[in-house]
């Protein structure tokens, strides 16, 4: 029995749709029949060779589906369970893992990702995927398979929120980027009660999508924001919180100048591994700025399924088209990637049930 999957060949610098044998469940694994799988910005970074990955593998780490086979020793799952996947693997024995800080696993750079689904081992851009049970999560009855494919990226946002803390509700907030992650951060901020929020996005199509979400937030070109600072004092027109969802070093560097005194900058977007920015350390000292990072989603999958995704599914997540999410068949992968790069959609998702 065979299946289709999107194979990334790093040496050939090529993504292609190929035929593969359907995987079998080894001991401690389950096989998942994939229902929906989303293209992440990390997938694009892998294809641009800006993010570490295996040499030849099926991509895709944001997906949901139904278990079709369980391996020896598996007792917590059964055939027919609806699930989603946490793609990150850890060594389990280093200092950080033993301390519960698994995303810092120090067996080399980014080693918590060394065997990660869709980056180091075959992922969910295929009809079936074999995954160790420690990285599989059952979906709540209230969470559809469609929403299940959003759990992994939203669980990363949950981690970002936890790291950010709870800024005062009257904070002036800037979100950099109106891709899917920027859209979801905007929804979360609205869900949490924030109303003075601006979204910075250079692509006209994505600005229109952000304005069409009905949140009441402004979505403007970065040059519009830059012009405000040419004529105004940063304390009058600046921001208390800036959340980068762009992964664009020039955008990040520019936005540091837009922080008010006592402000926080959350670096959520994934930049190329060798990128650099220049900032003025005196500003950090004088303004008492906080710079906060966010690396993946340690222990936030379960709380996201039962918390944010359940809580937002009938409101913010109810209309995918309003969020700029567009569905594609796996065979349409080239068009899906093209539309993402063009900025006409916020996210592309494969419907493997179509």
């Amino acid at each position: 029995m065979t299946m289709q999957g999107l194979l990334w060949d790093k040496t050939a610098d090529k993504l292609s749709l190929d035929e593969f044998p359907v995987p079998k469940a080894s001991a401690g694994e389950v096989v998942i029949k994939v229902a929906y799988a989303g293209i992440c910005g990390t997938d694009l970074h892998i294809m641009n060779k800006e993010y570490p990955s295996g040499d030849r593998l099926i991509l895709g780490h944001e997906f949901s589906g139904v278990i079709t086979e369980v391996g020896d020793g598996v007792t917590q799952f059964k055939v027919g369970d609806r699930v989603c996947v946490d793609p990150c693997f850890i060594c389990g024995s280093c200092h950080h893992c033993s301390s519960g800080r698994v995303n810092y696993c120090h067996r080399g750079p980014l080693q918590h990702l060394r065997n990660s689904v869709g980056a180091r081992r075959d992922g969910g851009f295929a009809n079936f995927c074999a995954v160790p049970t420690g990285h599989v999560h059952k979906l709540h009855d209230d969470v559809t398979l469609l929403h299940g494919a959003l759990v992994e990226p939203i669980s990363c946002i949950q981690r970002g929120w936890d790291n950010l803390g709870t800024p005062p509700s009257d904070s002036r907030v800037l979100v950099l980027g109106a891709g899917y992650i920027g859209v979801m951060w905007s929804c979360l901020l609205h869900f949490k009660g924030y109303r003075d929020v601006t979204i910075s996005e250079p692509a006209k199509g994505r600005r229109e999508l952000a304005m069409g979400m009905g949140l009441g937030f402004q979505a403007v070109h970065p040059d519009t924001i830059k012009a405000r600072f040419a004529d105004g004092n940063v304390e009058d027109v600046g921001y208390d919180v800036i959340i980068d969802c762009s992964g664009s070093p020039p955008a990040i560097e520019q936005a540091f100048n837009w922080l008010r005194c006592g402000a926080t900058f959350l670096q959520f977007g994934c930049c190329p591994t060798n990128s650099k920015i220049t900032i003025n350390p005196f500003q950090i000292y004088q303004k008492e700025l906080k710079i906060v990072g966010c690396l993946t989603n340690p222990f936030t999958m379960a709380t996201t399924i039962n918390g944010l995704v359940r809580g937002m599914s009938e409101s913010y997540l109810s209309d995918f088209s309003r969020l700029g999410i567009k569905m594609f068949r796996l065979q349409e992968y080239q068009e899906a990637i093209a539309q993402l790069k063009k900025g006409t959609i916020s996210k592309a998702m494969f419907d493997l049930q179509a």
Side-chain angles (χ1 to χ4, degrees):
M1 186 176 175
T2 62
M3 66 175 189
Q4 290 188 315
L6 289 180
L7 177 70
W8 166 243
D9 187 323
K10 184 191 291 186
T11 304
D13 196 17
K14 180 182 178 183
L15 183 70
S16 59
L17 183 67
D18 290 330
E19 292 283 331
F20 301 88
V22 172
K24 299 290 186 182
S26 299
E29 292 185 344
V30 298
V31 172
I32 300 169
K33 187 178 189 300
V34 180
Y36 300 98
I39 300 178
C40 175
T42 302
D43 296 312
L44 301 181
H45 281 304
I46 287 173
M47 287 182 271
N48 288 332
K49 298 183 179 180
E50 299 169 338
Y51 194 86
S53 73
D55 292 333
R56 281 175 60 88
L57 76 155
I58 297 171
L59 294 181
H61 61 272
E62 301 177 1
F63 61 99
S64 64
V66 178
I67 292 176
T68 56
E69 182 189 354
V70 297
D72 291 343
V74 175
T75 59
Q76 66 271 51
F77 297 102
K78 65 182 185 302
V79 171
D81 282 346
R82 300 178 317 111
V83 296
C84 61
V85 172
D86 180 354
C88 296
F89 280 53
I90 59 172
C91 77
S93 60
C94 70
H95 167 70
H96 290 304
C97 287
S98 300
S99 303
R101 298 174 297 185
V102 296
N103 58 328
Y104 302 157
C105 179
H106 66 211
R107 302 292 186 189
L110 293 177
Q111 281 303 290
H112 70 295
L113 303 175
R114 72 193 188 286
N115 291 315
S116 59
V117 178
R120 295 291 188 178
R121 57 180 287 160
D122 288 338
F125 290 168
N127 300 111
F128 295 88
C129 184
V131 184
T133 56
H135 299 270
V136 179
H137 294 264
K138 289 182 183 178
L139 296 177
H140 191 279
D141 290 344
D142 294 343
V143 177
T144 66
L145 285 170
L146 193 56
H147 289 138
L150 300 180
V151 169
E152 192 277 339
I154 295 177
S155 74
C156 294
I157 292 174
Q158 177 68 63
R159 169 67 173 185
W161 178 258
D162 293 342
N163 285 3
L164 182 63
T166 305
S169 59
D170 62 347
S171 296
R172 182 178 291 170
V173 183
L174 176 66
V175 176
L176 300 180
Y180 169 71
I181 291 297
V183 165
M184 286 312 306
W185 263 105
S186 300
C187 289
L188 175 64
L189 289 164
H190 193 273
F191 182 63
K192 297 286 188 180
Y194 295 86
R195 294 297 181 266
D196 193 352
V197 178
T198 301
I199 304 165
S200 173
E201 170 57 54
K204 181 181 178 182
R206 285 187 172 174
R207 290 199 303 272
E208 291 173 348
L209 283 171
M211 292 293 287
M213 289 191 299
L215 303 178
F217 298 164
Q218 282 190 318
V220 299
H221 194 284
D223 289 346
T224 302
I225 300 176
K226 186 178 179 180
R228 295 174 186 167
F229 286 86
D231 302 323
N233 183 284
V234 66
E235 291 304 306
D236 295 329
V237 299
Y239 298 94
D240 303 299
V241 178
I242 296 180
I243 302 168
D244 175 65
C245 303
S246 71
S248 168
I252 294 163
E253 183 174 294
Q254 177 175 248
F256 261 94
N257 298 311
W258 301 342
L259 293 164
R260 285 171 157 174
C261 290
T264 300
F265 191 101
L266 174 62
Q267 184 54 50
F268 189 88
C270 177
C271 298
T273 54
N274 61 349
S275 57
K276 296 179 181 180
I277 62 171
T278 299
I279 59 175
N280 183 348
F282 184 78
Q283 284 193 27
I284 301 172
Y285 158 78
Q286 183 187 42
K287 296 182 180 180
E288 292 192 326
L289 302 178
K290 295 178 182 178
I291 303 171
V292 180
C294 177
L295 180 62
T296 67
N297 59 344
F299 308 116
T300 58
M301 287 287 288
T303 54
T304 299
I305 293 170
N306 295 304
L308 282 182
V309 173
R310 283 185 69 196
M312 299 171 74
S313 62
E314 294 185 3
S315 51
Y316 301 92
L317 304 179
S318 62
D319 185 349
F320 272 28
S321 62
R322 191 175 67 172
L323 294 172
I325 302 173
K326 187 172 180 179
M327 309 302 294
F328 296 87
R329 294 179 300 121
L330 201 60
Q331 296 86 344
E332 299 171 318
Y333 70 96
Q334 291 175 317
E335 179 61 23
I337 293 171
Q339 290 195 31
L340 269 178
K341 290 182 175 179
K342 201 179 297 181
T344 55
I345 58 176
S346 70
K347 190 172 192 65
M349 185 175 287
F350 296 121
D351 181 353
L352 286 99
Q353 300 183 122

